[in-house]
PDB file of all heavy atoms in Angstrom:
ATOM      1  N   GLU A  88     -16.980   8.379   1.612  1.00  0.00           N
ATOM      2  CA  GLU A  88     -15.663   8.036   1.955  1.00  0.00           C
ATOM      3  C   GLU A  88     -15.578   7.699   3.419  1.00  0.00           C
ATOM      4  O   GLU A  88     -15.681   8.566   4.278  1.00  0.00           O
ATOM      5  CB  GLU A  88     -14.722   9.182   1.648  1.00  0.00           C
ATOM      6  CG  GLU A  88     -13.218   8.801   1.732  1.00  0.00           C
ATOM      7  CD  GLU A  88     -12.297   9.833   1.098  1.00  0.00           C
ATOM      8  OE1 GLU A  88     -12.800  10.727   0.415  1.00  0.00           O
ATOM      9  OE2 GLU A  88     -11.104   9.716   1.330  1.00  0.00           O
ATOM     10  N   ILE A  89     -15.412   6.425   3.740  1.00  0.00           N
ATOM     11  CA  ILE A  89     -15.449   5.926   5.109  1.00  0.00           C
ATOM     12  C   ILE A  89     -14.596   4.689   5.269  1.00  0.00           C
ATOM     13  O   ILE A  89     -14.402   3.934   4.322  1.00  0.00           O
ATOM     14  CB  ILE A  89     -16.931   5.665   5.481  1.00  0.00           C
ATOM     15  CG1 ILE A  89     -17.108   5.255   6.944  1.00  0.00           C
ATOM     16  CG2 ILE A  89     -17.486   4.516   4.619  1.00  0.00           C
ATOM     17  CD1 ILE A  89     -18.572   5.162   7.381  1.00  0.00           C
ATOM     18  N   ALA A  90     -13.981   4.540   6.448  1.00  0.00           N
ATOM     19  CA  ALA A  90     -13.183   3.362   6.717  1.00  0.00           C
ATOM     20  C   ALA A  90     -13.551   2.757   8.026  1.00  0.00           C
ATOM     21  O   ALA A  90     -14.035   3.452   8.970  1.00  0.00           O
ATOM     22  CB  ALA A  90     -11.721   3.745   6.718  1.00  0.00           C
ATOM     23  N   TYR A  91     -13.434   1.451   8.156  1.00  0.00           N
ATOM     24  CA  TYR A  91     -13.791   0.722   9.368  1.00  0.00           C
ATOM     25  C   TYR A  91     -12.562  -0.052   9.863  1.00  0.00           C
ATOM     26  O   TYR A  91     -11.939  -0.742   9.113  1.00  0.00           O
ATOM     27  CB  TYR A  91     -14.918  -0.241   9.093  1.00  0.00           C
ATOM     28  CG  TYR A  91     -16.242   0.380   8.730  1.00  0.00           C
ATOM     29  CD1 TYR A  91     -16.498   0.711   7.407  1.00  0.00           C
ATOM     30  CD2 TYR A  91     -17.198   0.665   9.714  1.00  0.00           C
ATOM     31  CE1 TYR A  91     -17.689   1.316   7.025  1.00  0.00           C
ATOM     32  CE2 TYR A  91     -18.408   1.270   9.356  1.00  0.00           C
ATOM     33  CZ  TYR A  91     -18.657   1.566   8.027  1.00  0.00           C
ATOM     34  OH  TYR A  91     -19.824   2.181   7.698  1.00  0.00           O
ATOM     35  N   ILE A  92     -12.284   0.136  11.119  1.00  0.00           N
ATOM     36  CA  ILE A  92     -11.252  -0.644  11.825  1.00  0.00           C
ATOM     37  C   ILE A  92     -11.951  -1.675  12.687  1.00  0.00           C
ATOM     38  O   ILE A  92     -12.717  -1.295  13.578  1.00  0.00           O
ATOM     39  CB  ILE A  92     -10.372   0.257  12.701  1.00  0.00           C
ATOM     40  CG1 ILE A  92      -9.659   1.329  11.843  1.00  0.00           C
ATOM     41  CG2 ILE A  92      -9.370  -0.539  13.498  1.00  0.00           C
ATOM     42  CD1 ILE A  92      -8.837   2.318  12.601  1.00  0.00           C
ATOM     43  N   THR A  93     -11.754  -2.922  12.382  1.00  0.00           N
ATOM     44  CA  THR A  93     -12.434  -3.969  13.182  1.00  0.00           C
ATOM     45  C   THR A  93     -11.384  -4.855  13.842  1.00  0.00           C
ATOM     46  O   THR A  93     -10.213  -4.671  13.692  1.00  0.00           O
ATOM     47  CB  THR A  93     -13.337  -4.789  12.260  1.00  0.00           C
ATOM     48  OG1 THR A  93     -12.551  -5.765  11.516  1.00  0.00           O
ATOM     49  CG2 THR A  93     -14.108  -3.990  11.266  1.00  0.00           C
ATOM     50  N   ASP A  94     -11.889  -5.846  14.602  1.00  0.00           N
ATOM     51  CA  ASP A  94     -10.954  -6.788  15.283  1.00  0.00           C
ATOM     52  C   ASP A  94     -10.304  -7.746  14.275  1.00  0.00           C
ATOM     53  O   ASP A  94      -9.442  -8.536  14.714  1.00  0.00           O
ATOM     54  CB  ASP A  94     -11.716  -7.515  16.426  1.00  0.00           C
ATOM     55  CG  ASP A  94     -12.886  -8.288  15.880  1.00  0.00           C
ATOM     56  OD1 ASP A  94     -13.396  -7.978  14.753  1.00  0.00           O
ATOM     57  OD2 ASP A  94     -13.405  -9.180  16.602  1.00  0.00           O
ATOM     58  N   ARG A  95     -10.759  -7.711  13.019  1.00  0.00           N
ATOM     59  CA  ARG A  95     -10.243  -8.642  12.042  1.00  0.00           C
ATOM     60  C   ARG A  95      -9.526  -8.013  10.849  1.00  0.00           C
ATOM     61  O   ARG A  95      -8.614  -8.594  10.276  1.00  0.00           O
ATOM     62  CB  ARG A  95     -11.424  -9.474  11.447  1.00  0.00           C
ATOM     63  CG  ARG A  95     -12.176 -10.303  12.481  1.00  0.00           C
ATOM     64  CD  ARG A  95     -13.358 -11.041  11.840  1.00  0.00           C
ATOM     65  NE  ARG A  95     -14.151 -11.720  12.882  1.00  0.00           N
ATOM     66  CZ  ARG A  95     -15.217 -12.428  12.658  1.00  0.00           C
ATOM     67  NH1 ARG A  95     -15.644 -12.616  11.392  1.00  0.00           N
ATOM     68  NH2 ARG A  95     -15.912 -13.008  13.694  1.00  0.00           N
ATOM     69  N   ARG A  96      -9.835  -6.736  10.589  1.00  0.00           N
ATOM     70  CA  ARG A  96      -9.277  -6.149   9.383  1.00  0.00           C
ATOM     71  C   ARG A  96      -9.542  -4.626   9.312  1.00  0.00           C
ATOM     72  O   ARG A  96     -10.202  -4.067  10.175  1.00  0.00           O
ATOM     73  CB  ARG A  96      -9.945  -6.804   8.135  1.00  0.00           C
ATOM     74  CG  ARG A  96     -11.491  -6.709   8.212  1.00  0.00           C
ATOM     75  CD  ARG A  96     -12.119  -7.463   7.060  1.00  0.00           C
ATOM     76  NE  ARG A  96     -13.563  -7.499   7.228  1.00  0.00           N
ATOM     77  CZ  ARG A  96     -14.416  -7.603   6.244  1.00  0.00           C
ATOM     78  NH1 ARG A  96     -14.017  -7.672   4.986  1.00  0.00           N
ATOM     79  NH2 ARG A  96     -15.724  -7.658   6.472  1.00  0.00           N
ATOM     80  N   LEU A  97      -8.963  -4.051   8.267  1.00  0.00           N
ATOM     81  CA  LEU A  97      -9.221  -2.694   7.919  1.00  0.00           C
ATOM     82  C   LEU A  97     -10.004  -2.649   6.607  1.00  0.00           C
ATOM     83  O   LEU A  97      -9.593  -3.268   5.644  1.00  0.00           O
ATOM     84  CB  LEU A  97      -7.908  -1.879   7.812  1.00  0.00           C
ATOM     85  CG  LEU A  97      -7.972  -0.457   7.224  1.00  0.00           C
ATOM     86  CD1 LEU A  97      -8.795   0.470   8.153  1.00  0.00           C
ATOM     87  CD2 LEU A  97      -6.639   0.084   6.998  1.00  0.00           C
ATOM     88  N   VAL A  98     -11.114  -1.966   6.590  1.00  0.00           N
ATOM     89  CA  VAL A  98     -11.937  -1.858   5.374  1.00  0.00           C
ATOM     90  C   VAL A  98     -12.152  -0.437   5.015  1.00  0.00           C
ATOM     91  O   VAL A  98     -12.567   0.394   5.813  1.00  0.00           O
ATOM     92  CB  VAL A  98     -13.330  -2.549   5.580  1.00  0.00           C
ATOM     93  CG1 VAL A  98     -14.108  -2.490   4.266  1.00  0.00           C
ATOM     94  CG2 VAL A  98     -13.175  -3.914   6.068  1.00  0.00           C
ATOM     95  N   ARG A  99     -11.828  -0.047   3.789  1.00  0.00           N
ATOM     96  CA  ARG A  99     -12.007   1.322   3.358  1.00  0.00           C
ATOM     97  C   ARG A  99     -12.907   1.367   2.146  1.00  0.00           C
ATOM     98  O   ARG A  99     -12.732   0.612   1.143  1.00  0.00           O
ATOM     99  CB  ARG A  99     -10.659   1.983   2.999  1.00  0.00           C
ATOM    100  CG  ARG A  99     -10.865   3.461   2.643  1.00  0.00           C
ATOM    101  CD  ARG A  99      -9.669   4.049   2.022  1.00  0.00           C
ATOM    102  NE  ARG A  99      -9.938   5.451   1.715  1.00  0.00           N
ATOM    103  CZ  ARG A  99      -9.258   6.172   0.796  1.00  0.00           C
ATOM    104  NH1 ARG A  99      -8.280   5.595   0.112  1.00  0.00           N
ATOM    105  NH2 ARG A  99      -9.537   7.423   0.530  1.00  0.00           N
ATOM    106  N   PHE A 100     -13.895   2.252   2.211  1.00  0.00           N
ATOM    107  CA  PHE A 100     -14.793   2.522   1.027  1.00  0.00           C
ATOM    108  C   PHE A 100     -14.402   3.888   0.467  1.00  0.00           C
ATOM    109  O   PHE A 100     -14.355   4.880   1.123  1.00  0.00           O
ATOM    110  CB  PHE A 100     -16.266   2.517   1.523  1.00  0.00           C
ATOM    111  CG  PHE A 100     -16.747   1.191   1.999  1.00  0.00           C
ATOM    112  CD1 PHE A 100     -16.586   0.823   3.296  1.00  0.00           C
ATOM    113  CD2 PHE A 100     -17.298   0.283   1.080  1.00  0.00           C
ATOM    114  CE1 PHE A 100     -17.037  -0.422   3.745  1.00  0.00           C
ATOM    115  CE2 PHE A 100     -17.734  -0.931   1.511  1.00  0.00           C
ATOM    116  CZ  PHE A 100     -17.582  -1.317   2.834  1.00  0.00           C
ATOM    117  N   GLU A 101     -14.149   3.842  -0.893  1.00  0.00           N
ATOM    118  CA  GLU A 101     -13.664   5.055  -1.509  1.00  0.00           C
ATOM    119  C   GLU A 101     -14.500   5.258  -2.784  1.00  0.00           C
ATOM    120  O   GLU A 101     -14.532   4.399  -3.673  1.00  0.00           O
ATOM    121  CB  GLU A 101     -12.194   4.964  -1.894  1.00  0.00           C
ATOM    122  CG  GLU A 101     -11.631   6.142  -2.628  1.00  0.00           C
ATOM    123  CD  GLU A 101     -10.182   5.916  -2.950  1.00  0.00           C
ATOM    124  OE1 GLU A 101      -9.708   4.799  -2.913  1.00  0.00           O
ATOM    125  OE2 GLU A 101      -9.550   6.942  -3.317  1.00  0.00           O
ATOM    126  N   PRO A 102     -15.163   6.438  -2.956  1.00  0.00           N
ATOM    127  CA  PRO A 102     -15.870   6.694  -4.159  1.00  0.00           C
ATOM    128  C   PRO A 102     -14.990   6.899  -5.306  1.00  0.00           C
ATOM    129  O   PRO A 102     -13.913   7.509  -5.217  1.00  0.00           O
ATOM    130  CB  PRO A 102     -16.673   8.015  -3.808  1.00  0.00           C
ATOM    131  CG  PRO A 102     -15.897   8.644  -2.735  1.00  0.00           C
ATOM    132  CD  PRO A 102     -15.263   7.542  -1.948  1.00  0.00           C
ATOM    133  N   THR A 103     -15.304   6.334  -6.469  1.00  0.00           N
ATOM    134  CA  THR A 103     -14.471   6.472  -7.670  1.00  0.00           C
ATOM    135  C   THR A 103     -15.161   7.328  -8.694  1.00  0.00           C
ATOM    136  O   THR A 103     -14.527   7.934  -9.540  1.00  0.00           O
ATOM    137  CB  THR A 103     -14.140   5.105  -8.233  1.00  0.00           C
ATOM    138  OG1 THR A 103     -15.349   4.358  -8.503  1.00  0.00           O
ATOM    139  CG2 THR A 103     -13.246   4.289  -7.277  1.00  0.00           C
ATOM    140  N   THR A 104     -16.492   7.295  -8.725  1.00  0.00           N
ATOM    141  CA  THR A 104     -17.276   8.169  -9.640  1.00  0.00           C
ATOM    142  C   THR A 104     -18.513   8.620  -8.796  1.00  0.00           C
ATOM    143  O   THR A 104     -18.646   8.304  -7.645  1.00  0.00           O
ATOM    144  CB  THR A 104     -17.754   7.408 -10.879  1.00  0.00           C
ATOM    145  OG1 THR A 104     -18.719   6.361 -10.480  1.00  0.00           O
ATOM    146  CG2 THR A 104     -16.599   6.692 -11.570  1.00  0.00           C
ATOM    147  N   LEU A 105     -19.331   9.359  -9.484  1.00  0.00           N
ATOM    148  CA  LEU A 105     -20.571   9.798  -8.817  1.00  0.00           C
ATOM    149  C   LEU A 105     -21.479   8.643  -8.434  1.00  0.00           C
ATOM    150  O   LEU A 105     -22.349   8.783  -7.512  1.00  0.00           O
ATOM    151  CB  LEU A 105     -21.293  10.812  -9.691  1.00  0.00           C
ATOM    152  CG  LEU A 105     -20.656  12.225  -9.899  1.00  0.00           C
ATOM    153  CD1 LEU A 105     -21.441  13.033 -10.883  1.00  0.00           C
ATOM    154  CD2 LEU A 105     -20.541  12.895  -8.564  1.00  0.00           C
ATOM    155  N   PHE A 106     -21.346   7.516  -9.096  1.00  0.00           N
ATOM    156  CA  PHE A 106     -22.269   6.433  -8.877  1.00  0.00           C
ATOM    157  C   PHE A 106     -21.588   5.185  -8.353  1.00  0.00           C
ATOM    158  O   PHE A 106     -22.282   4.216  -8.027  1.00  0.00           O
ATOM    159  CB  PHE A 106     -22.992   6.132 -10.215  1.00  0.00           C
ATOM    160  CG  PHE A 106     -23.613   7.354 -10.819  1.00  0.00           C
ATOM    161  CD1 PHE A 106     -22.974   7.920 -11.957  1.00  0.00           C
ATOM    162  CD2 PHE A 106     -24.794   7.915 -10.345  1.00  0.00           C
ATOM    163  CE1 PHE A 106     -23.536   9.061 -12.532  1.00  0.00           C
ATOM    164  CE2 PHE A 106     -25.314   8.991 -10.958  1.00  0.00           C
ATOM    165  CZ  PHE A 106     -24.728   9.580 -12.065  1.00  0.00           C
ATOM    166  N   ALA A 107     -20.251   5.137  -8.300  1.00  0.00           N
ATOM    167  CA  ALA A 107     -19.590   3.906  -7.866  1.00  0.00           C
ATOM    168  C   ALA A 107     -18.686   4.161  -6.691  1.00  0.00           C
ATOM    169  O   ALA A 107     -18.068   5.173  -6.559  1.00  0.00           O
ATOM    170  CB  ALA A 107     -18.760   3.350  -9.079  1.00  0.00           C
ATOM    171  N   THR A 108     -18.699   3.172  -5.805  1.00  0.00           N
ATOM    172  CA  THR A 108     -17.826   3.176  -4.627  1.00  0.00           C
ATOM    173  C   THR A 108     -17.097   1.883  -4.521  1.00  0.00           C
ATOM    174  O   THR A 108     -17.745   0.818  -4.527  1.00  0.00           O
ATOM    175  CB  THR A 108     -18.643   3.410  -3.321  1.00  0.00           C
ATOM    176  OG1 THR A 108     -19.399   4.663  -3.448  1.00  0.00           O
ATOM    177  CG2 THR A 108     -17.738   3.495  -2.098  1.00  0.00           C
ATOM    178  N   ASN A 109     -15.805   1.924  -4.436  1.00  0.00           N
ATOM    179  CA  ASN A 109     -14.966   0.687  -4.327  1.00  0.00           C
ATOM    180  C   ASN A 109     -14.625   0.461  -2.856  1.00  0.00           C
ATOM    181  O   ASN A 109     -14.469   1.372  -2.099  1.00  0.00           O
ATOM    182  CB  ASN A 109     -13.733   0.816  -5.122  1.00  0.00           C
ATOM    183  CG  ASN A 109     -13.956   0.688  -6.639  1.00  0.00           C
ATOM    184  OD1 ASN A 109     -15.044   0.297  -7.082  1.00  0.00           O
ATOM    185  ND2 ASN A 109     -13.021   1.103  -7.455  1.00  0.00           N
ATOM    186  N   SER A 110     -14.512  -0.807  -2.528  1.00  0.00           N
ATOM    187  CA  SER A 110     -14.053  -1.154  -1.195  1.00  0.00           C
ATOM    188  C   SER A 110     -12.760  -1.953  -1.265  1.00  0.00           C
ATOM    189  O   SER A 110     -12.449  -2.662  -2.216  1.00  0.00           O
ATOM    190  CB  SER A 110     -15.086  -2.061  -0.511  1.00  0.00           C
ATOM    191  OG  SER A 110     -15.218  -3.323  -1.199  1.00  0.00           O
ATOM    192  N   ARG A 111     -11.856  -1.661  -0.284  1.00  0.00           N
ATOM    193  CA  ARG A 111     -10.572  -2.320  -0.151  1.00  0.00           C
ATOM    194  C   ARG A 111     -10.404  -2.850   1.234  1.00  0.00           C
ATOM    195  O   ARG A 111     -10.812  -2.219   2.197  1.00  0.00           O
ATOM    196  CB  ARG A 111      -9.444  -1.392  -0.514  1.00  0.00           C
ATOM    197  CG  ARG A 111      -9.503  -0.799  -1.929  1.00  0.00           C
ATOM    198  CD  ARG A 111      -8.249  -0.077  -2.249  1.00  0.00           C
ATOM    199  NE  ARG A 111      -7.103  -0.962  -2.180  1.00  0.00           N
ATOM    200  CZ  ARG A 111      -5.850  -0.552  -2.062  1.00  0.00           C
ATOM    201  NH1 ARG A 111      -5.589   0.745  -2.036  1.00  0.00           N
ATOM    202  NH2 ARG A 111      -4.864  -1.355  -1.978  1.00  0.00           N
ATOM    203  N   THR A 112      -9.797  -4.032   1.361  1.00  0.00           N
ATOM    204  CA  THR A 112      -9.685  -4.679   2.660  1.00  0.00           C
ATOM    205  C   THR A 112      -8.300  -5.192   2.904  1.00  0.00           C
ATOM    206  O   THR A 112      -7.641  -5.746   1.973  1.00  0.00           O
ATOM    207  CB  THR A 112     -10.685  -5.832   2.732  1.00  0.00           C
ATOM    208  OG1 THR A 112     -12.032  -5.344   2.638  1.00  0.00           O
ATOM    209  CG2 THR A 112     -10.557  -6.554   4.073  1.00  0.00           C
ATOM    210  N   LEU A 113      -7.805  -5.079   4.095  1.00  0.00           N
ATOM    211  CA  LEU A 113      -6.583  -5.703   4.549  1.00  0.00           C
ATOM    212  C   LEU A 113      -6.824  -6.341   5.838  1.00  0.00           C
ATOM    213  O   LEU A 113      -7.264  -5.708   6.814  1.00  0.00           O
ATOM    214  CB  LEU A 113      -5.430  -4.661   4.694  1.00  0.00           C
ATOM    215  CG  LEU A 113      -4.663  -4.244   3.472  1.00  0.00           C
ATOM    216  CD1 LEU A 113      -3.612  -3.204   3.847  1.00  0.00           C
ATOM    217  CD2 LEU A 113      -3.952  -5.453   2.892  1.00  0.00           C
ATOM    218  N   THR A 114      -6.623  -7.693   5.938  1.00  0.00           N
ATOM    219  CA  THR A 114      -6.683  -8.359   7.215  1.00  0.00           C
ATOM    220  C   THR A 114      -5.445  -8.006   8.017  1.00  0.00           C
ATOM    221  O   THR A 114      -4.436  -7.632   7.505  1.00  0.00           O
ATOM    222  CB  THR A 114      -6.827  -9.860   7.013  1.00  0.00           C
ATOM    223  OG1 THR A 114      -5.618 -10.377   6.437  1.00  0.00           O
ATOM    224  CG2 THR A 114      -8.041 -10.212   6.223  1.00  0.00           C
ATOM    225  N   TRP A 115      -5.546  -8.108   9.322  1.00  0.00           N
ATOM    226  CA  TRP A 115      -4.410  -7.742  10.170  1.00  0.00           C
ATOM    227  C   TRP A 115      -3.218  -8.661   9.911  1.00  0.00           C
ATOM    228  O   TRP A 115      -2.058  -8.276  10.122  1.00  0.00           O
ATOM    229  CB  TRP A 115      -4.803  -7.764  11.646  1.00  0.00           C
ATOM    230  CG  TRP A 115      -5.883  -6.760  11.976  1.00  0.00           C
ATOM    231  CD1 TRP A 115      -7.058  -6.997  12.605  1.00  0.00           C
ATOM    232  CD2 TRP A 115      -5.806  -5.314  11.691  1.00  0.00           C
ATOM    233  NE1 TRP A 115      -7.723  -5.772  12.724  1.00  0.00           N
ATOM    234  CE2 TRP A 115      -7.016  -4.777  12.183  1.00  0.00           C
ATOM    235  CE3 TRP A 115      -4.855  -4.489  11.058  1.00  0.00           C
ATOM    236  CZ2 TRP A 115      -7.304  -3.427  12.079  1.00  0.00           C
ATOM    237  CZ3 TRP A 115      -5.163  -3.127  10.949  1.00  0.00           C
ATOM    238  CH2 TRP A 115      -6.361  -2.637  11.432  1.00  0.00           C
ATOM    239  N   ASP A 116      -3.467  -9.853   9.435  1.00  0.00           N
ATOM    240  CA  ASP A 116      -2.417 -10.772   9.101  1.00  0.00           C
ATOM    241  C   ASP A 116      -1.629 -10.285   7.907  1.00  0.00           C
ATOM    242  O   ASP A 116      -0.431 -10.636   7.782  1.00  0.00           O
ATOM    243  CB  ASP A 116      -3.008 -12.161   8.829  1.00  0.00           C
ATOM    244  CG  ASP A 116      -1.910 -13.219   8.633  1.00  0.00           C
ATOM    245  OD1 ASP A 116      -1.087 -13.419   9.520  1.00  0.00           O
ATOM    246  OD2 ASP A 116      -1.861 -13.841   7.548  1.00  0.00           O
ATOM    247  N   GLU A 117      -2.206  -9.476   7.078  1.00  0.00           N
ATOM    248  CA  GLU A 117      -1.586  -8.950   5.848  1.00  0.00           C
ATOM    249  C   GLU A 117      -0.818  -7.707   6.075  1.00  0.00           C
ATOM    250  O   GLU A 117      -0.017  -7.295   5.237  1.00  0.00           O
ATOM    251  CB  GLU A 117      -2.616  -8.733   4.735  1.00  0.00           C
ATOM    252  CG  GLU A 117      -3.325 -10.013   4.268  1.00  0.00           C
ATOM    253  CD  GLU A 117      -4.451  -9.695   3.376  1.00  0.00           C
ATOM    254  OE1 GLU A 117      -5.245  -8.753   3.592  1.00  0.00           O
ATOM    255  OE2 GLU A 117      -4.559 -10.382   2.268  1.00  0.00           O
ATOM    256  N   VAL A 118      -1.065  -7.030   7.227  1.00  0.00           N
ATOM    257  CA  VAL A 118      -0.530  -5.717   7.477  1.00  0.00           C
ATOM    258  C   VAL A 118       0.844  -5.884   8.144  1.00  0.00           C
ATOM    259  O   VAL A 118       1.061  -6.718   9.075  1.00  0.00           O
ATOM    260  CB  VAL A 118      -1.421  -4.863   8.377  1.00  0.00           C
ATOM    261  CG1 VAL A 118      -0.757  -3.564   8.712  1.00  0.00           C
ATOM    262  CG2 VAL A 118      -2.767  -4.682   7.681  1.00  0.00           C
ATOM    263  N   VAL A 119       1.868  -5.099   7.711  1.00  0.00           N
ATOM    264  CA  VAL A 119       3.221  -5.178   8.325  1.00  0.00           C
ATOM    265  C   VAL A 119       3.677  -3.888   8.863  1.00  0.00           C
ATOM    266  O   VAL A 119       4.563  -3.826   9.736  1.00  0.00           O
ATOM    267  CB  VAL A 119       4.240  -5.661   7.295  1.00  0.00           C
ATOM    268  CG1 VAL A 119       3.980  -7.093   6.880  1.00  0.00           C
ATOM    269  CG2 VAL A 119       4.269  -4.725   6.063  1.00  0.00           C
ATOM    270  N   LYS A 120       3.105  -2.764   8.440  1.00  0.00           N
ATOM    271  CA  LYS A 120       3.621  -1.455   8.891  1.00  0.00           C
ATOM    272  C   LYS A 120       2.534  -0.350   8.759  1.00  0.00           C
ATOM    273  O   LYS A 120       1.695  -0.423   7.874  1.00  0.00           O
ATOM    274  CB  LYS A 120       4.849  -1.036   8.167  1.00  0.00           C
ATOM    275  CG  LYS A 120       5.621   0.190   8.793  1.00  0.00           C
ATOM    276  CD  LYS A 120       6.906   0.358   8.058  1.00  0.00           C
ATOM    277  CE  LYS A 120       7.742   1.519   8.683  1.00  0.00           C
ATOM    278  NZ  LYS A 120       8.137   1.194  10.069  1.00  0.00           N
ATOM    279  N   VAL A 121       2.557   0.598   9.699  1.00  0.00           N
ATOM    280  CA  VAL A 121       1.691   1.690   9.682  1.00  0.00           C
ATOM    281  C   VAL A 121       2.463   3.008   9.669  1.00  0.00           C
ATOM    282  O   VAL A 121       3.410   3.158  10.475  1.00  0.00           O
ATOM    283  CB  VAL A 121       0.666   1.686  10.921  1.00  0.00           C
ATOM    284  CG1 VAL A 121      -0.258   2.907  10.822  1.00  0.00           C
ATOM    285  CG2 VAL A 121      -0.127   0.409  10.925  1.00  0.00           C
TER     286      VAL A 121
END
Side-chain angles (χ1 to χ4, degrees):
E88 189 166 350
I89 186 171
Y91 294 87
I92 297 173
T93 79
D94 58 342
R95 301 178 185 179
R96 54 184 173 155
L97 170 64
V98 183
R99 185 192 178 203
F100 293 90
E101 179 182 15
T103 53
T104 68
L105 290 176
F106 309 102
T108 301
N109 286 346
S110 64
R111 299 190 59 199
T112 298
L113 275 179
T114 63
W115 297 127
D116 186 57
E117 298 172 313
V118 177
V119 294
K120 192 174 183 65
V121 178

